[in-house]
Amino acid sequence: MQSAPGQEWNASGYAENARFVSDLGQPVVDLLNPQPGERILDLGCGDGALTEKLLAAGAEVIGVDASADMVFAAKQRGIDARLMDAYNLEFQAEFDAVFSNAALHWMKRDPDAIIAGLRRALKPGGRFAGEMGGHGCVAAVVVALCAALERYEISNPARLIPWYFPTQEEYRARLERNGFQIQYIALIPRPTPLRSGMRKWLETFAVSFINCVAEERRSSFLDEVTARLQPALCDQQGRWTADYMRLRFLACGR
Ligand code: BEZ
């Protein structure tokens, strides 16, 4: 995983509260269609749950991640996982494909630099299959977090949004200007059940917002955000569903 300010990844917490992220990753594995013997780079491999699927298809895979804890967890699965900053990838024309699930939206600072680094890592004609949060992803959650932060007198809370959720048009243009040809791209609504509930989701993914609040007020802050979201995202049985939008694409290096 890539880190936003204050966002630290912990493999056991992730396994407990965010396993759905890799569980729901099969469509982008299918889009990649990994082949035996291919060399594949898994960008933001996390604890390697999806990397294992690429290996099971017979591919030779290197996983990279910016979290030492996640790299350790991936290595424990026997994966060749390396601690690496996605902005400084060390690969040149050596992969048949790049794969990335639920990682690119954490790399908000300079998406073009990320795409250019991946293009350099690919052999000519190599493919890039990715899925990330897309425009409108967790919009209700973002509005509730910002509204609650304003009540806590945090100015301009939108500056704390750690995610990059592009439109289809914007990401297409970025891929094309960095040397890719689009084979497929779609923005897909994917309401996502949160088995651990909204509070755990916030504690896992919304750390940059929570850390702005004084420690002794964080619990009431989370109560307030959860109460604001309850009418929109929680059903009568107390089951939470987050308003995810996915941007899924397959592109080929020109
Ligand atoms: C995700 O990992 O898919 C995700 C993380 C934070 C916000 C929305 C989506």
Side-chain angles (χ1 to χ4, degrees):
M1 312 300 299
Q2 194 70 21
S3 291
Q7 182 81 50
E8 301 248 318
W9 295 107
N10 159 284
S12 60
Y14 198 83
E16 202 172 315
N17 301 311
R19 177 53 63 221
F20 66 88
V21 174
S22 50
D23 285 351
L24 297 173
Q26 189 61 41
V28 66
V29 175
D30 293 343
L31 190 60
L32 173 68
N33 190 19
Q35 298 299 310
E38 281 192 319
R39 245 174 94 71
I40 299 178
L41 173 66
D42 183 354
L43 178 77
C45 65
D47 67 6
L50 278 180
T51 324
E52 273 186 339
K53 297 200 176 199
L54 311 183
L55 289 165
E60 198 186 303
V61 189
I62 293 178
V64 297
D65 205 285
S67 158
D69 206 50
M70 289 297 193
V71 167
F72 182 77
K75 281 186 169 165
Q76 287 194 313
R77 292 179 191 259
I79 291 165
D80 179 354
R82 305 183 188 176
L83 185 64
M84 210 179 282
D85 175 3
Y87 287 99
N88 292 298
L89 294 177
E90 293 159 7
F91 307 109
Q92 299 285 342
E94 56 193 279
F95 292 99
D96 299 295
V98 169
F99 172 82
S100 184
N101 179 59
L104 293 162
H105 50 244
W106 292 103
M107 303 168 201
K108 183 180 181 180
R109 177 164 52 84
D110 187 352
D112 278 319
I114 299 289
I115 298 169
L118 294 174
R119 177 70 193 81
R120 278 194 301 275
L122 281 171
K123 296 176 188 168
R127 60 204 197 284
F128 176 18
E131 183 166 322
M132 63 194 291
H135 188 65
C137 190
V138 294
V141 181
V142 169
V143 170
L145 281 162
C146 289
L149 279 179
E150 274 173 353
R151 276 211 346 98
Y152 281 67
E153 288 167 14
I154 306 291
S155 59
N156 185 18
R159 79 192 141 83
L160 300 170
I161 298 171
W163 310 302
Y164 168 58
F165 295 142
T167 61
Q168 198 184 133
E169 294 71 24
E170 180 187 336
Y171 211 69
R172 170 187 284 274
R174 286 192 192 278
L175 287 166
E176 286 177 347
R177 73 172 167 259
N178 284 289
F180 284 100
Q181 212 166 28
I182 310 296
Q183 313 288 304
Y184 168 88
I185 188 163
L187 184 66
I188 303 158
R190 195 201 66 197
T192 300
L194 304 180
R195 304 216 188 285
S196 310
M198 179 52 73
R199 203 181 168 102
K200 285 286 183 203
W201 189 95
L202 294 168
E203 287 169 354
T204 305
F205 293 104
V207 175
S208 61
F209 298 91
I210 296 169
N211 280 359
C212 260
V213 176
E215 213 165 336
E216 65 280 6
R217 302 180 79 199
R218 285 182 192 163
S219 181
S220 53
F221 169 71
L222 288 170
D223 287 344
E224 177 170 337
V225 176
T226 308
R228 281 178 188 269
L229 288 169
Q230 202 251 342
L233 300 181
C234 188
D235 72 11
Q236 301 249 316
Q237 282 72 44
R239 292 177 299 214
W240 287 90
T241 302
D243 48 341
Y244 275 45
M245 298 289 288
R246 310 312 282 170
L247 186 64
R248 192 177 299 152
F249 56 85
L250 176 65
C252 277
R254 281 190 299 232

